[in-house]
Amino acid sequence: MSNTHSTDADAAVADIPDGATVLIGGFGTAGQPMDLIDALRRHGAKDLTVVNNNAGNGDNGLAALLATGNVRKIVCSFPRQRDSWVFDGLYRAGRIELEVVPQGNLAERLRAAGAGIGAFFTPTGVGTTLAEGKEQRTIDGRDYVLEYPIRGDFALIKAHRADRMGNLVYRKTARNFGPVMATAARTTVVEVGEVVETGALDPEHIITPAIFVDRVVQLNEQGIAR
C-alpha cells in the first residue's frame, strides 16, 4: 500500500463519498483529528456513518460535523456527556441514528476487522438490550454473545509523528483508537504534527506501520494544515 504526504487536508478527504462509513479516532478530544474532521465538514459528504468513542464535545470537531446534519448514524460507546448537546438535540429530534457499543467491544470489533476475524464471542452485553437479536452461546458454563467486525471505508486518525513512508508514532493517551482504526479501514488518512525522514523514527516506537497508512497531512504549530 502506498501513501502520500500532503499539506492539504481538504484534498486528503475529497474522495470520501456520500454514504461512507468513516472511523474517527479520539477519546473525547484526546487524539481527535480536528483538522481532518473540519475538512470532511467542508467537503460536505452526506449520509455518513461515523464510528467514534463518543458523540462529540461542545461545538467543535466531531460535534461540528454532526451539526451539519450529514451524519446519518453514529456508532459509539459514550453518546451522552455534559457537553454533548449537539448530539442530544439531533437524537431527540430523530435526525440521527445511534448504535451503542461497549468500549471493549468497540475496540475488539475494530481490531477483528483489521485482523481478518469473521466474528467473535464476548460476554460483554449478555443479559442486556444490547444482546437482543444476536446469536448467543454458552461456553464452559459462561454465556457469550456473537459480535461482528466494524469495517470502515475511511479512517481519520491523529498521530504525533510520521516518517516519509507513513510509519506512525503516537503521543501518550492520544494513541487510543488510532492503531486499530488504521487497520480496519480501506483508506487511512492521518494528521500529524511532524514528518521526519525515513529511518529517523526508532523502529521499537512505531505503533502503526506504513502498510496501513494511505495519506499523511502535516499540521503546523497552530494545529492547521500547512
Side-chain angles (χ1 to χ4, degrees), residues 19 64 70 80 108 139 147 149-150:
N70 291 343
R80 299 194 67 211
E108 185 64 7
I139 303 172
E147 296 285 357
I150 296 176

Side-chain angles (χ1 to χ4, degrees), residues 48 75 87 101 109 127 141 187 213:
L48 299 174
V75 180
F87 168 78
V101 180
R109 289 177 67 185
T187 301
V213 175

Side-chain angles (χ1 to χ4, degrees), residues 158-180:
K158 182 177 182 178
H160 185 47
R161 291 190 180 94
D163 65 17
R164 294 193 177 277
M165 287 188 65
N167 296 300
L168 304 181
V169 173
Y170 300 87
R171 179 172 172 78
K172 300 180 179 180
T173 58
R175 171 174 165 179
N176 52 70
F177 286 89
V180 289

Side-chain angles (χ1 to χ4, degrees), residues 5-167:
H5 170 216
S6 170
T7 57
D8 189 341
D10 293 283
V13 303
D15 59 344
I16 296 180
D18 293 350
T21 295
V22 184
L23 316 178
I24 299 180
F27 188 93
T29 57
Q32 193 174 124
M34 295 289 192
D35 201 70
L36 291 177
I37 295 170
D38 287 345
L40 179 57
R41 176 173 52 82
R42 292 190 294 269
H43 171 47
K46 299 177 176 61
D47 196 34
L48 299 174
T49 296
V50 167
V51 182
N52 185 264
N53 182 65
N54 70 341
N57 303 89
D59 297 299
N60 301 313
L62 179 56
L65 176 64
L66 297 184
T68 65
N70 291 343
V71 178
R72 177 184 64 84
K73 178 180 179 180
I74 188 158
V75 180
C76 68
S77 298
F78 298 98
R80 299 194 67 211
Q81 302 174 84
R82 182 177 61 181
D83 59 352
S84 60
W85 50 75
V86 172
F87 168 78
D88 280 359
L90 291 170
Y91 188 73
R92 291 177 187 275
R95 295 174 55 198
I96 192 168
E97 298 176 32
L98 169 66
E99 179 182 348
V100 175
V101 180
Q103 190 175 75
N105 284 5
L106 182 65
E108 185 64 7
R109 289 177 67 185
L110 291 163
R111 192 196 69 82
I117 295 172
F120 61 93
F121 282 99
T122 173
T124 305
V126 170
T128 73
T129 56
L130 298 180
E132 291 180 358
K134 298 178 180 179
E135 180 180 343
Q136 298 190 46
R137 185 176 298 182
T138 301
I139 303 172
D140 291 334
R142 190 174 188 185
D143 293 333
Y144 292 81
V145 62
L146 187 66
E147 296 285 357
Y148 289 89
I150 296 176
R151 298 181 176 88
D153 299 302
F154 287 80
L156 307 182
I157 64 175
K158 182 177 182 178
H160 185 47
R161 291 190 180 94
D163 65 17
R164 294 193 177 277
M165 287 188 65
N167 296 300

